[in-house]
Amino acid sequence: DVTRDFAFGLPKAELHLHLEGTLEPDLKLALARKNGVDIGQSTVEEVQATYQFNDLTSFLAVYYPAMDVLQDEDDFHDLAAAYFERARANGVVRAECFFDPQAHTSRGIAIETVIRGYHRAVVEAREAGLSADLILCFLRDMSAQSALETLQAALPYKDMFIGVGLDSDERDNPPTKFADVFALARQTGLHVTMHCDIDQVGSIDNIRAALTELGTERLDHGTNIVEDPELVAYARDHGIGLTSCPLSNSFVTEEMKGKEIVELTAAGVKVSVNSDDPAYFGGYVGDNYLALAERFDLGRADLERIARNSIEIAWISDDEKDELL
Ligand code: ADE
Ligand code: ZN
């Protein structure tokens, strides 16, 4: 019997979390007022009423325009600081947070404003005892050239992020489109992960390429790897972690992928549970653990396994893993 206290209290790593996806309606409204940005709504209820998604595309259509309220370094700092506070209340002891520089540089915000603001919150989180780092994501519906320019622009701040990822709309934007930029990132010593979403035609081929050609260390979502036993064995044997997001999946694919999580875990693949865009998908990581347990009848030992997996696949030293476990 998994209680809310148990699900929230388990020490866990959150590895699939978009900082821009933690923008709660009240902060969105406060920043809109502060920065004089008209977002078209003026109450929390009105903002929430615009949250009608049934797939990734309809979600992204709400998600990106909202970022207009983020303007100066303090705004990015305040967004991340609010997340870290909630993360701690959800039992997070290690947070590896995605951010999307191109969603900001494309509207005229300097990349250093974004990175410095987020990084300041990371430093404060560490001072408060939460291990935290940033992962720079490329928007896959922009060009490979834009991704390359983004990485080059970010390299002067390389000590402020530990890896690169790939997000946004996967349709017609396979990971192989970014082979050069991922190769450069790996040469630079950065970790590499990528979204392989579960509802895309041809997604299994993208998972195969991500693993065998692009050297990804984790798969974000990616639970449809169950379709291919050889790839499941590959993921198990190479210690490839999966970062699944049950509540997000239930919005964009209509199910939490609990069966896949259970099956993959039983097969020895390290699957973690995460919140993705918690301000939009109805809950933070503790809520995701709890919802998964309730919907799929998981017990305490199952959630303990998932939480342990999350720390084992985190991008930290073995010594730090031992400390956190
Ligand atoms: N950007 C933010 N959340 C995302 C998700 N779940 N998939 C793709 N891109 C995203
Ligand atoms: Zn995501």
Side-chain angles (χ1 to χ4, degrees):
D1 55 330
V2 168
T3 61
R4 188 173 191 279
D5 281 353
F6 181 81
F8 277 63
L10 269 179
K12 57 181 75 71
E14 177 145 60
L15 308 175
H16 186 155
L17 177 283
H18 302 265
L19 284 172
E20 291 86 356
T22 70
L23 180 55
E24 290 286 343
D26 54 352
L27 182 59
K28 191 184 282 187
L29 290 165
L31 292 174
R33 266 193 301 275
K34 171 189 165 239
N35 292 321
V37 176
D38 180 8
I39 57 168
Q41 303 97 38
S42 54
T43 67
V44 167
E45 292 71 29
E46 285 171 13
V47 172
Q48 279 164 344
T50 68
Y51 292 1
Q52 313 264 355
F53 338 109
N54 49 21
D55 56 18
L56 184 63
T57 309
S58 55
F59 163 65
L60 294 175
V62 173
Y63 181 67
Y64 290 123
M67 295 181 199
D68 281 352
V69 304
L70 297 163
Q71 293 285 336
D72 62 26
E73 192 184 303
D74 283 346
D75 300 343
F76 292 97
H77 164 272
D78 293 355
L79 176 63
Y83 164 67
F84 289 128
E85 194 157 316
R86 286 178 181 261
R88 292 160 64 83
N90 278 252
V92 174
V93 293
R94 166 71 182 164
E96 299 180 3
C97 307
F98 295 136
F99 69 107
D100 284 343
Q102 290 157 296
H104 313 299
T105 55
S106 62
R107 55 188 180 83
I109 311 287
I111 196 165
E112 55 263 40
T113 301
V114 181
I115 297 181
R116 285 186 192 283
Y118 284 150
H119 179 68
R120 184 147 50 87
V122 164
V123 170
E124 290 166 2
R126 290 178 189 156
E127 285 165 1
L130 171 59
S131 174
D133 274 297
L134 299 173
I135 301 171
L136 184 157
C137 277
F138 306 113
L139 298 185
R140 66 199 312 161
D141 41 10
M142 294 183 72
S143 68
Q145 179 61 26
S146 174
L148 200 55
E149 287 166 8
T150 301
L151 180 57
Q152 280 159 347
L155 283 180
Y157 307 93
K158 192 170 116 24
D159 55 342
M160 299 186 186
F161 61 100
I162 59 167
V164 296
L166 184 65
D167 63 5
S168 206
D169 198 339
E170 186 170 1
R171 200 166 319 163
D172 301 326
N173 299 301
T176 47
K177 174 177 163 184
F178 300 93
D180 290 348
V181 72
F182 281 119
L184 175 61
R186 291 172 68 195
Q187 275 167 29
T188 316
L190 289 162
H191 290 288
V192 172
T193 187
M194 46 201 84
H195 279 54
C196 288
D197 290 335
I198 39 209
D199 57 347
Q200 304 287 335
V201 175
S203 173
I204 194 74
D205 300 320
N206 289 350
I207 290 178
R208 185 176 301 108
L211 290 174
T212 63
E213 292 174 40
L214 302 175
T216 196
E217 297 164 60
R218 295 200 295 245
L219 292 171
D220 300 314
H221 301 302
T223 43
N224 59 318
I225 195 174
V226 291
E227 290 166 28
D228 188 325
E230 280 180 25
L231 288 180
V232 171
Y234 183 100
R236 180 197 60 218
D237 295 345
H238 290 78
I240 303 292
L242 264 63
T243 66
S244 192
C245 308
L247 290 174
S248 162
N249 289 346
S250 68
F251 273 88
V252 301
T253 76
E254 287 171 5
E255 47 167 331
M256 291 190 199
K257 301 293 165 187
K259 268 181 55 192
E260 289 83 348
I261 292 171
V262 169
E263 183 178 334
L264 288 165
T265 305
V269 177
K270 290 186 176 153
V271 185
S272 62
V273 162
N274 309 269
S275 69
D276 206 1
D277 301 287
Y280 293 91
F281 295 136
Y284 285 75
V285 65
D287 301 296
N288 275 269
Y289 274 65
L290 186 59
L292 183 71
E294 285 177 345
R295 173 73 180 74
F296 291 90
D297 204 22
L298 302 189
R300 293 184 177 221
D302 300 314
L303 292 196
E304 278 166 356
R305 171 81 263 170
I306 290 169
R308 168 172 283 269
N309 284 341
S310 71
I311 291 171
E312 287 176 347
I313 63 173
W315 291 338
I316 49 179
S317 68
D318 289 345
D319 282 352
E320 189 175 347
K321 288 179 193 178
D322 288 343
E323 269 170 46
L324 296 180
L325 279 169

